[in-house]
Amino acid sequence: MIECQNGIHIKGTNFWLDARRKVDFSFISHAHIDHAVRHKEILTTKETARLYEHRFGRAKFNILEYNQPKRFDSAYFVTHHAHGSKFEKPKSKDGIKVELFPSGHILGGAQILLEIEGVRIVYTGDLKLRKCLTAKKAEVKKCDILIMESTFGLPRYIFPDRKEIIDQITEFVDQALSFGQVPIFLAYSLGKAQEIMKILGLRGYKTSVHQAIFKIAKIYEKFGVKFKNYEHYQAEDLEGKVLIVPPYVRGSRMIKKIPKKRVAILTGWAIDSGCKDWFGADEAFPLSDHADFSELMEYTKLAEPQKIYTVHGIPEFPDFLRKEGFDAEPFKESTKVTKTFSKELLLNYVLFIRD
Ligand SMILES: [Zn+2]
């Protein structure tokens, strides 16, 4: 019923989910670059549409609000059906019932529920179960087939409580400021950066943010996620402020010319020893936009699927799901990452794709 090649495709239909090559019609779960490609028509939330336009230019959107189901008619079925089980022959008369619901990943991030002939398919996109300040909390819906991300799908990736992480972050900031140093956070420009802006702003810290982050924060504010005590980065005006920049800026002149500084990287990969050294950072804190291993397991128990496919991440994750009694397998194109991360792989993940 489902195939995975350059994205996920529901066989017999025009429905693609996070297609990675140009197609006629694709759902886009959120506006990170590994999920956003130019298509003829894009099904997504209004927030993701705006962020997508900001990053990739104009497109034709089919907007759905969270939790507002919509039926797509026979026009979304292709004429030649694959043969095989009933799953592979959706009948056009009933169409496909579609509902988007929050993924908790970043602003506008959505999961999708498709109902075809009574079969409920959920695709999570990138996911986080724990609450944060800048994205709606994720929901879990019961389904028959679950296609889920597995970025942190190994038992060693268990993040501490959020409060504990934030306490460590504020301690890092207080210490740096007390020594007259500029505390600098390396944080992905869409999602992570806004979350740390919000956290620090609410605690009364003043932040100076890189242009890429500033522009995206303005879009967040249009959708009601407001920030306190922040301003656009100005080289000569950093005293007493916390600087927030995307990770790729670490080696730039902008950072090099700051004489007294303490640098921290914010990423789930902080769990791996060596992470901070690879980023040239003094500290690494596991503030992540993704579910950790226990959240992924919790999700599957709540969703109660008969079949699980994993994508985007660790191919060994289904082994752990099978131990819990699930019928689970990775889609073949899952990235071959794991137990031994290379520095290049990790940098690529955090800098450009999956932090
Ligand atoms: Zn993402």
Side-chain angles (χ1 to χ4, degrees):
M1 183 174 199
I2 300 159
E3 61 191 343
C4 182
Q5 201 168 36
N6 291 315
I8 295 146
H9 179 225
I10 311 297
K11 286 184 189 173
T13 77
N14 278 345
F15 260 87
W16 282 84
L17 314 177
D18 282 337
R20 274 184 246 141
R21 63 175 175 83
K22 187 174 177 177
V23 295
D24 287 344
F25 182 74
S26 182
F27 163 64
I28 287 188
S29 62
H30 64 289
H32 280 156
I33 52 172
D34 57 330
H35 294 261
V37 175
R38 300 190 70 83
H39 305 295
K40 280 193 188 159
E41 188 180 354
I42 291 167
L43 173 67
T44 194
T45 61
K46 57 184 185 303
E47 295 89 347
T48 295
R50 181 66 197 87
L51 290 164
Y52 178 100
E53 276 186 337
H54 170 68
R55 309 189 96 195
F56 309 104
R58 299 191 80 81
K60 185 183 173 197
F61 294 106
N62 193 326
I63 302 291
L64 262 189
E65 299 280 336
Y66 290 131
N67 306 114
Q68 300 284 322
K70 179 177 173 179
R71 203 168 277 284
F72 286 78
D73 64 18
S74 55
Y76 289 88
F77 287 89
V78 291
T79 49
H80 54 89
H81 296 307
H83 57 278
S85 75
K86 75 168 189 175
F87 287 160
E88 290 173 327
K89 286 185 179 175
K91 285 178 187 157
S92 57
K93 66 178 173 59
D94 293 332
I96 303 174
K97 192 175 154 196
V98 173
E99 182 177 344
L100 305 189
F101 56 107
S103 65
H105 180 54
I106 60 168
L107 180 75
Q111 307 177 67
I112 186 168
L113 166 65
L114 301 125
E115 278 187 69
I116 305 174
E117 285 206 304
V119 178
R120 289 164 65 90
I121 304 167
V122 165
Y123 166 61
T124 65
D126 285 354
L127 175 79
K128 161 168 99 267
L129 286 191
R130 54 180 74 194
K131 251 173 116 168
C132 70
L133 299 171
T134 52
K136 278 212 166 85
K137 188 166 177 4
E139 295 171 16
V140 183
K141 292 192 185 290
K142 299 224 183 311
C143 58
D144 303 299
I145 300 174
L146 173 63
I147 307 159
M148 71 185 304
E149 72 127 319
S150 54
T151 307
F152 292 110
L154 286 177
R156 76 162 181 269
Y157 294 112
I158 302 283
F159 306 144
D161 283 348
R162 185 178 153 93
K163 185 182 175 307
E164 198 180 311
I165 299 169
I166 293 173
D167 284 349
Q168 288 173 6
I169 285 172
T170 50
E171 197 184 317
F172 168 86
V173 171
D174 291 341
Q175 249 185 23
L177 292 175
S178 71
F179 284 113
Q181 299 165 317
V182 178
I184 302 173
F185 287 108
L186 309 177
Y188 191 75
S189 59
L190 168 54
K192 188 71 58 62
Q194 287 72 34
E195 184 66 16
I196 190 68
M197 280 174 72
K198 183 90 181 175
I199 290 169
L200 294 174
L202 285 174
R203 279 166 181 72
Y205 295 103
K206 290 181 180 153
T207 57
S208 170
V209 307
H210 184 272
Q211 173 168 274
I213 294 167
F214 185 87
K215 285 181 179 167
I216 291 172
K218 289 292 176 196
I219 297 174
Y220 269 58
E221 292 198 314
K222 285 202 177 106
F223 287 103
V225 181
K226 306 280 184 192
F227 303 96
K228 288 184 172 172
N229 306 320
Y230 77 103
E231 60 184 33
H232 193 291
Y233 162 76
Q234 284 180 42
E236 65 285 356
D237 189 18
L238 288 174
E239 202 183 324
K241 290 173 187 162
V242 183
L243 178 58
I244 305 171
V245 299
Y248 65 81
V249 172
R250 174 66 186 97
S252 70
R253 247 184 67 74
M254 170 185 170
I255 301 297
K256 280 182 185 154
K257 70 186 182 189
I258 300 170
K260 292 171 77 181
K261 56 186 174 272
R262 290 272 291 167
V263 181
I265 173 92
L266 301 175
T267 171
W269 303 110
I271 296 292
D272 286 313
S273 61
C275 176
K276 65 182 181 186
D277 299 334
W278 294 340
F279 285 94
D282 303 297
E283 293 291 346
F285 301 109
L287 187 72
S288 181
D289 286 331
H290 289 269
D292 70 2
F293 181 79
S294 58
E295 288 167 70
L296 291 172
M297 297 305 279
E298 183 190 342
Y299 188 102
T300 57
K301 281 167 193 161
L302 294 170
E304 297 176 1
Q306 293 165 31
K307 177 79 191 180
I308 302 174
Y309 295 104
T310 63
V311 287
H312 304 136
I314 290 175
E316 291 92 334
F317 180 54
D319 301 344
F320 299 98
L321 292 170
R322 283 195 294 274
K323 277 184 202 153
E324 295 294 319
F326 289 106
D327 176 357
E329 61 184 283
F331 267 132
K332 285 196 183 70
E333 68 173 13
S334 292
T335 322
K336 293 281 175 211
V337 253
T338 78
K339 291 155 184 173
T340 47
F341 279 100
S342 68
K343 177 181 175 182
E344 288 68 29
L345 189 63
L346 185 69
L347 289 175
N348 184 47
Y349 256 51
V350 183
L351 286 175
F352 302 111
I353 308 181
R354 316 192 58 74
D355 63 335

